[in-house]
Amino acid sequence: MFSTDYRLEIKKRDWLLMVRLFGEIDHHSAVSMREELDRIILKERPRRLVLDLSCIEFMDSAGLGLLMGRYRLMREIGGVLAITRPNERVLRILHLAGMERFIEIDGKA
Amino acid sequence: MDNRNCKRYRDEINKMELTLPAISVNEGMARAAVAAFCAQLSPSPTDLADIKCAVSEAVTNCIVHAYKHKKGNFYITVNLYSDKTVRIEVLDKGCGIADVRRAREPLFTTDAAGERSGMGFTVMENFMDRLTVSSREGKGTLVVLTKRLGRKTAEEE
């Protein structure tokens, strides 16, 4: 009941990879989310990865670590990471960490 | 100890104590339980989300840093007061923090390999009204989070 289940939905178009995340991002879920995302990134090697956070109901600072890590991985493979549609709560924590300074954050899908 | 400092006109209206093993699945359990308990003060969705996030951070610290994924329990006490103040204690009997002031700095982390953001205490500080951290190396850490519901945060004002 309280397990932090999550789900990913993946769409690919040419060099663009869209991943919509569902559920809660905390330290518990971030571990497997990270593994799954990295596997997809390294397989598809997109030039642009867009993480759609519109269906994330909860995120704490573990989510910041997760996003920073994917930002670094995308840079390593010569691509960029963008975040789209975070809710107000998620946006607040992104701003607290100043993530908008190096990751593109967009309100639209 | 803390009660001496707060001679406010308020009464404790309810109290919850919760002991959980320091395993990561209990991060979600702990924040859900605290949020459910606080619901009787009719918090705004923002207040409730702030509390959930702060509790999640404190509990994650117990699991990741205090016990370093080894066996142990963490202890949560929540007090609700008549003036709509919520006081949450998160206690562990883990390794303790050598330098609390440094640990509270934004982006500070002792576990860079683990993709930690180093933002845990910063989140607790920003999302609650008050954060106190007392720690003794080898003994454990006590984090006290306080928030008066219905108040605007610095950001919203």
Side-chain angles (χ1 to χ4, degrees):
Chain A
M1 177 171 48
F2 292 109
S3 70
T4 42
D5 284 329
Y6 73 92
R7 190 162 58 84
L8 308 181
E9 215 174 71
I10 302 151
K11 266 190 216 160
K12 212 199 158 208
R13 207 180 339 152
D14 303 322
W15 43 266
L16 172 73
L17 187 65
M18 281 276 286
V19 180
R20 185 182 288 179
L21 306 171
F22 294 79
E24 305 197 324
I25 311 180
D26 60 8
H27 154 258
H28 178 69
S29 64
V31 178
S32 34
M33 244 183 205
R34 172 170 72 190
E35 284 173 10
E36 204 169 332
L37 278 171
D38 285 1
R39 202 174 47 239
I40 301 163
I41 293 168
L42 293 172
K43 186 176 153 236
E44 304 291 348
R45 302 186 85 82
R47 268 196 269 159
R48 185 174 166 84
L49 169 67
V50 180
L51 293 178
D52 181 344
L53 301 184
S54 59
C55 296
I56 288 298
E57 296 137 28
F58 174 87
M59 183 177 116
D60 65 15
S61 73
L64 298 174
L66 180 81
L67 295 173
M68 299 273 278
R70 302 315 48 82
Y71 164 76
R72 280 193 217 107
L73 180 63
M74 281 306 292
R75 267 187 31 161
E76 269 171 42
I77 64 164
V80 290
L81 167 68
I83 295 168
T84 189
R85 300 201 298 171
N87 71 24
E88 209 183 296
R89 310 294 319 151
V90 172
L91 193 62
R92 192 167 161 217
I93 196 163
L94 293 173
H95 282 158
L96 188 63
M99 298 282 271
E100 71 281 2
R101 277 175 294 165
F102 44 96
I103 299 179
E104 186 187 320
I105 301 174
D106 188 3
K108 294 178 298 242
Chain B
M1 187 180 77
D2 228 24
N3 286 336
R4 260 187 287 144
N5 303 329
C6 34
K7 275 190 183 166
R8 287 181 211 146
Y9 297 100
R10 65 178 194 192
D11 301 307
E12 184 184 277
I13 55 173
N14 210 345
K15 181 178 177 175
M16 176 178 81
E17 289 179 342
L18 190 64
T19 302
L20 288 167
I23 49 175
S24 66
V25 72
N26 281 335
E27 292 157 11
M29 172 65 210
R31 63 175 180 263
V34 172
F37 186 69
C38 291
Q40 61 200 285
L41 288 182
S42 315
S44 67
T46 307
D47 279 344
L48 207 55
D50 286 350
I51 290 169
K52 279 175 83 173
C53 208
V55 169
S56 199
E57 299 293 352
V59 167
T60 303
N61 279 352
C62 296
I63 295 162
V64 175
H65 299 292
Y67 294 114
K68 300 190 164 51
H69 301 283
K70 292 193 189 101
K71 259 190 164 178
N73 288 330
F74 60 90
Y75 309 86
I76 297 181
T77 307
V78 186
N79 299 90
L80 305 181
Y81 296 97
S82 54
D83 66 349
K84 292 194 102 182
T85 300
V86 179
R87 184 178 184 277
I88 304 161
E89 284 186 13
V90 181
L91 172 77
D92 68 67
K93 294 175 181 169
C95 67
I97 303 168
D99 186 344
V100 171
R101 193 183 291 183
R102 214 164 146 231
R104 288 180 64 156
E105 282 171 15
L107 306 174
F108 174 82
T109 180
T110 50
D111 183 18
E115 282 198 356
R116 310 267 164 251
S117 66
M119 291 295 286
F121 281 127
T122 308
V123 168
M124 290 183 236
E125 223 162 53
N126 277 271
F127 287 10
M128 301 297 282
D129 292 342
R130 190 154 178 248
L131 162 71
T132 61
V133 185
S134 339
S135 191
R136 206 188 284 175
E137 269 190 288
K139 295 278 182 197
T141 302
L142 172 67
V143 167
V144 183
L145 302 157
T146 319
K147 190 177 186 73
R148 182 127 173 232
L149 303 181
R151 256 200 207 161
K152 284 191 172 173
T153 61
E155 283 166 65
E156 287 165 335
E157 272 164 7

